[in-house]
Amino acid sequence: MRNEMMNGMRDKDNLYDNKVSYKKRKSREFTRKFVFSIMTALFVIVFVGSVFSMNAKANSSKGAADYKYYANYCIVPGDTLWNIAEANIDYNHYGSVKEYAKEIQKINKINGEHITNGTYIMLPYYSDELK
């Protein structure tokens, strides 16, 4: 009889252990599914965000497919850096004449606005053709 009682208690313990392990398995399964869902959602958000970001950059950049080139220009009497910049500016690539004039100064290593007649300077320009 004592053995039957002990077997009955073991059965109850086994049943309890089975319930506990079932709950642990279900909890782990739920956690795994939850983490997988969160990771999938984050991946989708990052992917969609990067696609829209690339599309926005492509639409917003002016002349993105243009190539930058340089032309030689001989300074003649009466030329000023400002007049040269005004005559050659491409507003699709430069916001103002001042911005273009500063780039001319930088490319040609011109300090101030003094330019000398007869010297050649390089003027940047853009083209959509590869030359």
Side-chain angles (χ1 to χ4, degrees):
M1 181 128 155
R2 183 175 165 107
N3 283 342
E4 289 176 19
M5 269 179 54
M6 291 301 279
N7 286 340
M9 290 178 83
R10 283 186 199 140
D11 289 341
K12 285 182 183 177
D13 287 343
N14 285 340
L15 184 61
Y16 178 75
D17 288 342
N18 286 341
K19 284 183 181 178
V20 170
S21 65
Y22 176 76
K23 286 183 179 179
K24 284 182 181 179
R25 278 196 319 265
K26 283 296 187 183
S27 176
R28 286 184 196 139
E29 186 179 331
F30 174 77
T31 303
R32 191 175 62 243
K33 286 181 179 179
F34 181 74
V35 168
F36 179 76
S37 299
I38 295 296
M39 295 299 287
T40 302
L42 287 173
F43 174 75
V44 168
I45 290 169
V46 168
F47 179 75
V48 169
S50 65
V51 167
F52 281 118
S53 175
M54 287 187 288
N55 189 26
K57 286 179 185 175
N59 289 337
S60 68
S61 59
K62 296 178 185 174
D66 290 347
Y67 300 97
K68 188 173 187 177
Y69 297 102
Y70 299 91
N72 282 324
Y73 179 82
C74 183
I75 298 172
V76 294
D79 275 345
T80 65
L81 190 59
W82 189 264
N83 291 344
I84 295 169
E86 258 184 339
N88 295 285
I89 188 169
D90 177 0
Y91 284 104
N92 289 326
H93 295 91
Y94 298 98
S96 66
V97 175
K98 183 178 181 180
E99 181 184 340
Y100 185 59
K102 283 188 178 192
E103 183 166 358
I104 294 170
Q105 284 176 314
K106 180 181 170 187
I107 292 168
N108 294 287
K109 298 178 183 163
I110 298 172
N111 294 325
E113 291 191 17
H114 179 72
I115 53 178
T116 307
N117 295 334
T119 59
Y120 285 88
I121 60 173
M122 292 186 298
L123 301 178
Y125 71 95
Y126 290 86
S127 174
D128 58 353
E129 295 179 21
L130 184 60
K131 296 180 182 183

